[in-house]
Amino acid sequence: MASEDSFLVLVHHRGSIKRKTRSGVKFTDKDPLCIIVRPTTGYDALVSSVLEKLGLEGVKRVMYLCRRQFPEVRTPELLAKLVDVVSSSGGSNRNANTIATVAGSSSRLAVASSSVPVYEPAIQPVASPSFAVDLSGNVGDEVRYGEHHLTELRCPTPAGVGEGLFDDPDDDDVEPDMIADDSGDDLGASHPRRATGFGARDTEGSAGMTEFQVGQQFQDKDEALLSVKTYVGKCSEFGNGCTWLIRLSLRQRKGIWEVKRYNGPHTCLATSISSDHRSLDYHVIATFIMPIIRADASVNIKVLLNATAAHFGFRPTYRRVWMAKQKAVAIIYGDWDESYNELPRWVLGVQLTMPGTVAVLRTCPVRVGGQLDESQANFHRLFWTFPPCIEAFHHCKPLVSIDGTHLYGKYEGTLLVTIAQDGNSNILPVAFALVESENAESWSFFLSHLRQHVTPQPGLLVISDRHNGIKAALEAPDGGWLPPAAYRAFCIGHVAANFALTFKGKDARRLLVNAAYAKTEVEFDYWFDILRSENLAMCDWANRIEYSLWTQYCDEGRRFGHMTTNISECVNSILKGVRNLPVCSLVKATYARLAELFVRKGREAEAQLGTRQQFSQYLVKCIEANLKTARCFTVTVYDRDNSEYTVAETTPTGSFSLGSYRVSLASQTCDCGYFQALHFPCPHALACCAYSRLTWQPYVHQVYCLSSIFDVYQIGITPPIPEDFWPPYDGPTVIPNPNMRRAREGRPRSTRIRTNMDDADPNRPKRCGLCRQPGHTRRSCPQAGRPTHTGGNK
């Protein structure tokens, strides 16, 4: 009988283990070996007890020892692989056995108790969680019971390890300067540290320690890699008191990998442990984050970094996680460089799929040593749009928003987008372009093709920011964007952001925005006078911009109430994640996202038509709100044709009120400005219609009719023809411009130019800084409790 502080360990042979069932883990051997251990029993003592009980002490040794938890029965399992002890000649028997040591955890051991308590060491070691072994089964292939875990994970081989760590058989035993991967990461380890690694523990006597010896052999390179991942080949303190080193080489005659040199065991007594880890390279991180990237390619690097640190227990550098994300994206969506050469075939394929598709590809010549290389061409620009988008714009509001957004990935670049809006306030991207950056030439390329292929209508309004490249392209004499063919307006969000760079304070910015949104000159003067009383210089700054470009009351109703570009909404709702993809996958994603959008919005419009409604849901809600306000008015008619009225407000309807308004149903105007700005009846016009018993429907713009909205999505996107049937491309190989390659060292430079538009909304829910989920903070985050090494350099 064991004492109160003792624990019972049952030892089963691997062949006796059955598969896990709902009732627990089943074993076939009826007489397992029993070992009594105490809480102070160390790892070496436990291994010696197991070997002694098996009668194999001095004959066998434990090569791997890994731990797995069975939550159904609250029972941990220790899996150990036994191999023959190597003789003095270096020979070794290839026979190996695996045992499973299982201990229950439900209660203390008693005479009549059938439960088996858990064995845990008295002192918790500083853990160095396994990277090659996923004990929870989240990464890699499923781990089978009774087998050692190290051969189950499928990780890509780091190039630097394969080239530097594994030598040719003819190499001598000269010690290399450093054995590491080729990730190019700056590990930043200035403090002394122990060389810890995959499946290892940092403190003596802990479970999971892997040792090597000269003559030890492996079946293949993968097994050797996963084994050597326990250490990083050479301790970072090598030469400063630590002599730990391991080298592996290929025995070509036998076709096996062998430990050729090993100075072990590792006994470095460094006082601190780095929070980073060499073996946690971007290849391993890419394998771990693959499911996350597959679900959302736009996931933030900080989120991936926190998830990696929480899972592995080490915190890698920002750049290493960034490189891991680029590799994961390349594996899922295609190689970054090859993606450029796929664009010409995509152009041919999409034009075959949907005749009428416009795709204009521009390239630049490649010169090698001063000579023109006709076999290659550098990618320069690409414009594309689809027939359903061209047709849809004829039924949208006669305005477009244009803006650019930076690409994220191996190569820099900018995605230019043209966004339209239907009568139900649904945004619709109608044209795209990939360019090197926002400049006069790139905007001229984009806008000239936009005008030629998508928006030939006269009187069109273009809403944009104040970029000089857009200004130059729109003001070009031969561009077709000069009045009266087209008009320009500024996004008030960008204007206010520029204003805030000079004048601090949210109150002043709010006054400027209120003045811009004013629909009448009287209301504009009201807000502008308040702004002038705050600071005369603010009004001088605003007066330098032509009023028709940024105020609503001077736009003659061309804005339809739209004061900003919709690029953020478009990217977040329709094009989410495309900026993180290789270029060919990006353009393919626009095709797929638009196909889904046309189907979804077309079904919604068709369902609304089935209810015999006449107008969009957006307009119905606005009319209902205006009707409630119209009950507080006094109406006077001034002509027998029931077209000219005055409306007096018995109760003010807003923060600014004139008290009395003139309404003309014939010209569809009102002194409040809403009627002519939004192109549907304002509360005063509805009051006049009710007074004269007229219907208000004839005074609504055609764009708000459900029939127009249905026409927007009537032509759908054709299913793509399989790539095997695309026409062949026999032109020069398209390659990325090497000047667009992002920096190879250091933290990737952010392409985001932050302004006051990036200020957080005070009404927006707070998010955790660790997992980016709302509802809690970093201190109370569930992931914060997971073991993560700290100390040393990050």
Side-chain angles (χ1 to χ4, degrees):
M1 180 178 67
S3 64
E4 187 67 13
D5 294 330
S6 299
F7 301 95
L8 177 64
V9 177
L10 302 180
V11 181
H12 299 267
H13 189 269
R14 62 175 293 183
S16 67
I17 302 177
K18 286 186 175 181
R19 300 182 65 180
K20 184 175 62 174
T21 64
R22 294 184 179 179
S23 59
V25 181
K26 301 297 184 181
F27 300 91
T28 58
D29 54 346
K30 299 182 179 179
D31 298 314
L33 298 178
C34 300
I35 301 174
I36 304 298
V37 296
R38 298 181 180 276
T40 57
T41 302
Y43 163 75
D44 294 333
L46 175 61
V47 172
S48 298
S49 299
V50 173
L51 295 177
E52 181 180 1
K53 201 71 174 181
L54 292 172
L56 299 175
E57 189 172 12
V59 180
K60 297 282 188 178
R61 63 184 178 85
V62 175
M63 183 175 179
Y64 303 120
L65 184 59
C66 305
R67 182 177 183 274
R68 184 179 179 88
Q69 184 78 22
F70 296 145
E72 292 86 350
V73 294
R74 300 178 61 195
T75 301
E77 177 193 50
L78 298 177
L79 299 178
K81 182 174 182 179
L82 301 185
V83 298
D84 293 339
V85 174
V86 180
S87 63
S88 59
S89 62
S92 176
N93 193 338
R94 292 299 301 168
N95 295 331
N97 297 321
T98 303
I99 60 172
T101 304
V102 181
S105 61
S106 57
S107 63
R108 291 280 183 179
L109 179 63
V111 176
S113 174
S114 61
S115 60
V116 187
V118 121
Y119 160 76
E120 292 185 5
I123 302 176
Q124 293 292 338
V126 180
S128 179
S130 169
F131 306 148
V133 184
D134 183 7
L135 301 182
S136 60
N138 293 330
V139 180
D141 297 339
E142 180 181 357
V143 180
R144 297 174 176 85
Y145 302 112
E147 299 179 7
H148 63 85
H149 293 34
L150 291 178
T151 60
E152 291 301 323
L153 185 67
R154 300 294 185 261
C155 292
T157 301
V161 175
E163 297 169 4
L165 183 59
F166 299 97
D167 306 320
D168 292 331
D170 298 330
D171 290 348
D172 55 18
D173 288 338
V174 177
E175 298 174 2
D177 293 335
M178 180 58 66
I179 301 174
D181 58 24
D182 66 340
S183 62
D185 299 331
D186 182 11
L187 300 180
S190 59
H191 293 276
R193 61 181 181 180
R194 295 185 58 178
T196 61
F198 292 28
R201 298 287 183 179
D202 295 331
T203 55
E204 185 178 357
S206 302
M209 179 68 74
T210 301
E211 289 298 341
F212 301 91
Q213 66 180 25
V214 176
Q216 183 176 336
Q217 300 173 347
F218 302 91
Q219 290 291 347
D220 51 35
K221 182 178 178 180
D222 292 336
E223 182 181 355
L225 269 177
L226 291 176
S227 300
V228 80
K229 279 291 188 179
T230 305
Y231 292 101
V232 192
K234 188 176 182 181
C235 179
S236 61
E237 291 300 303
F238 190 88
N240 294 329
C242 182
T243 61
W244 190 90
L245 177 88
I246 183 172
R247 294 185 65 191
L248 283 83
S249 62
L250 174 63
R251 300 286 298 273
Q252 292 184 350
R253 293 182 180 179
K254 295 184 178 181
I256 58 176
W257 291 87
E258 179 178 342
V259 176
K260 196 170 184 180
R261 182 167 183 176
Y262 177 54
N263 300 345
H266 190 200
T267 58
C268 179
L269 299 178
T271 57
S272 62
I273 300 173
S274 171
S275 62
D276 193 7
H277 198 292
R278 283 180 182 272
S279 294
L280 185 57
D281 53 29
Y282 74 94
H283 304 281
V284 177
I285 299 174
T287 302
F288 166 69
I289 66 176
M290 197 84 69
I292 305 176
I293 301 299
R294 198 181 302 275
D296 181 10
S298 64
V299 61
N300 190 278
I301 297 295
K302 290 184 178 179
V303 175
L304 296 176
L305 194 152
N306 292 330
T308 303
H311 180 79
F312 292 119
F314 292 94
R315 191 171 187 84
T317 61
Y318 183 98
R319 178 168 183 81
R320 191 178 304 174
V321 179
W322 182 86
M323 293 176 64
K325 179 180 179 181
Q326 306 316 307
K327 178 174 182 177
V329 170
I331 293 175
I332 298 173
Y333 298 101
D335 183 77
W336 292 93
D337 294 354
E338 291 294 332
S339 183
Y340 286 88
N341 194 40
E342 295 174 5
L343 287 175
R345 280 207 71 208
W346 176 85
V347 170
L348 298 175
V350 74
Q351 289 177 341
L352 178 65
T353 300
M354 294 195 69
T357 297
V358 179
V360 182
L361 177 62
R362 294 282 186 267
T363 58
C364 296
V366 175
R367 296 186 178 275
V368 179
Q371 299 295 325
L372 182 64
D373 185 0
E374 297 182 354
S375 64
Q376 293 182 329
N378 283 328
F379 172 83
H380 189 41
R381 297 176 183 136
L382 173 67
F383 172 90
W384 74 98
T385 185
F386 308 110
C389 298
I390 299 174
E391 178 62 27
F393 184 72
H394 290 86
H395 308 283
C396 292
K397 298 174 182 177
L399 59 90
V400 292
S401 299
I402 58 174
D403 207 342
T405 180
H406 295 285
L407 301 182
Y408 301 144
K410 185 176 180 179
Y411 294 95
E412 296 178 348
T414 302
L415 174 65
L416 304 182
V417 186
T418 299
I419 304 168
Q421 192 175 73
D422 65 16
N424 200 27
S425 297
N426 297 315
I427 59 174
L428 173 66
V430 294
F432 311 88
L434 283 174
V435 297
E436 67 281 7
S437 63
E438 291 189 66
N439 52 57
E441 291 77 13
S442 61
W443 275 114
S444 179
F445 167 80
F446 179 58
L447 291 175
S448 61
H449 288 290
L450 177 68
R451 190 63 167 169
Q452 178 182 355
H453 301 292
V454 185
T455 60
Q457 298 90 336
L460 190 71
L461 180 71
V462 179
I463 303 177
S464 69
D465 58 25
R466 301 170 63 199
H467 197 281
N468 290 330
I470 300 177
K471 181 176 183 293
L474 291 177
E475 293 179 355
D478 56 348
W481 295 102
L482 294 175
Y487 299 88
R488 188 188 183 192
F490 289 153
C491 168
I492 188 56
H494 289 86
V495 173
N498 298 146
F499 177 83
L501 294 176
T502 305
F503 305 100
K504 307 300 179 181
K506 294 184 178 180
D507 291 339
R509 180 181 176 182
R510 177 179 56 83
L511 293 173
L512 181 73
V513 172
N514 288 344
Y517 272 86
K519 296 177 177 61
T520 63
E521 183 177 3
V522 176
E523 184 181 1
F524 173 82
D525 292 338
Y526 169 80
W527 293 111
F528 215 63
D529 289 342
I530 299 177
L531 188 67
R532 184 180 291 107
S533 64
E534 293 286 336
N535 189 344
L536 184 60
M538 297 180 182
C539 293
D540 294 337
W541 185 95
N543 286 330
R544 288 196 291 268
I545 308 175
E546 187 178 347
Y547 280 6
S548 62
L549 295 176
W550 66 281
T551 63
Q552 190 170 197
Y553 87 93
C554 288
D555 74 344
E556 298 181 6
R558 299 189 186 95
R559 284 183 178 262
F560 277 72
H562 296 284
M563 298 298 294
T564 64
T565 60
N566 305 103
I567 185 66
S568 297
E569 183 182 356
C570 176
V571 168
N572 292 333
S573 61
I574 300 176
L575 303 178
K576 183 176 179 61
V578 300
R579 298 185 296 169
N580 304 81
L581 304 180
V583 291
C584 193
S585 295
L586 186 153
V587 296
K588 290 179 181 177
T590 61
Y591 190 92
R593 302 285 178 87
L594 285 173
E596 187 273 335
L597 178 68
F598 271 78
V599 170
R600 176 163 47 89
K601 294 301 179 181
R603 287 175 177 174
E604 292 178 3
E606 187 176 19
Q608 294 175 24
L609 280 175
T611 61
R612 297 187 178 182
Q613 296 182 16
Q614 185 178 355
F615 299 104
S616 66
Q617 293 179 339
Y618 166 77
L619 180 83
V620 171
K621 292 180 180 179
C622 292
I623 293 295
E624 289 176 351
N626 290 345
L627 285 173
K628 294 179 180 179
T629 308
R631 300 169 183 172
C632 305
F633 299 152
T634 301
V635 180
T636 303
V637 61
Y638 277 83
D639 70 332
R640 59 186 180 184
D641 295 330
N642 293 324
S643 61
E644 304 295 331
Y645 303 84
T646 59
V647 179
E649 293 182 349
T650 56
T651 302
T653 57
S655 58
F656 178 84
S657 177
L658 295 177
S660 180
Y661 300 86
R662 294 173 300 168
V663 177
S664 174
L665 294 180
S667 59
Q668 299 184 13
T669 60
C670 178
D671 285 344
C672 71
Y674 279 77
F675 203 171
Q676 51 268 42
L678 303 181
H679 302 277
F680 60 80
C682 62
H684 311 103
L686 291 176
C688 296
C689 291
Y691 179 83
S692 300
R693 299 188 179 184
L694 301 174
T695 59
W696 53 265
Q697 286 82 357
Y699 305 105
V700 176
H701 195 283
Q702 178 66 25
V703 74
Y704 296 108
C705 295
L706 272 179
S707 57
S708 297
I709 299 174
F710 179 78
D711 290 339
V712 171
Y713 307 101
Q714 187 173 13
I715 301 178
I717 303 289
T718 305
I721 296 176
E723 296 186 16
D724 293 340
F725 298 96
W726 288 0
Y729 169 72
D730 56 359
T733 301
V734 180
I735 62 175
N737 189 335
N739 297 326
M740 302 301 293
R741 175 73 184 269
R742 292 190 185 274
R744 299 173 183 265
E745 298 180 357
R747 177 167 177 160
R749 181 176 59 87
S750 173
T751 55
R752 172 72 174 172
I753 302 176
R754 299 187 64 84
T755 66
N756 295 77
M757 295 175 65
D758 297 301
D759 293 341
D761 186 354
N763 298 323
R764 186 178 181 181
K766 302 295 183 182
R767 293 181 178 270
C768 171
L770 185 63
C771 67
R772 306 303 303 164
Q773 297 299 319
H776 62 270
T777 62
R778 180 188 292 267
R779 288 187 176 182
S780 59
C781 180
Q783 295 188 9
R786 300 184 181 181
T788 302
H789 282 273
T790 57
N793 289 343
K794 296 183 180 179

